[in-house]
Amino acid sequence: MEKPEFLKKYDLDILKIDDSLPDMPLSEHTNLHDLMEDHLILFLASTHCDLCEKTLEIIEEYTKGNQELNIVVLLDSDPAGIEVLINHFKHRVQFYLVPPHIMNKYLKMRFLPVGFAVDSNMKIITTHSVQDMNSFQDLIEPLRKQLSR
């Protein structure tokens, strides 16, 4: 049975596993696809969100001892807030200031935080929220398996 038209607007048209990662401008000279190496771990987050703060803590905990992953965070924040994070993380993580309506337009973001593991073909291989180290490991594990081949 098909959904009534008035309910269809509530369907979540979000990026899913096997979708291609859309490209989007991040700065005057950088697009999202420019950041691809042999993989990309992409997070959408905000400094105005308690759950996002937990995600940033997990990323920080992981990257203190492991810097082999290409991690990018698209962040809804004010310029001062993102500068604090850039200075704190140094070169372990790349941050880009992106307002939620732009995340939504290009990446179909419907909630924050969310993470994506993307392979070298720009295919999403895992996606979900990260709130603890186990969920971070779950996000990156399929990608690690691909990279170790």
Side-chain angles (χ1 to χ4, degrees), residues 36-41 62 68-70 117-120 125 140-149:
M36 177 57 71
E37 294 174 1
D38 58 353
H39 70 281
L40 176 67
I41 305 296
Y62 181 85
E68 77 284 358
L69 294 177
N70 179 25
V118 183
D119 69 14
S120 60
I125 58 173
I140 66 172
E141 188 57 31
L143 188 59
R144 283 179 165 240
K145 288 179 181 176
Q146 280 189 2
L147 293 173
S148 66
R149 289 183 199 157

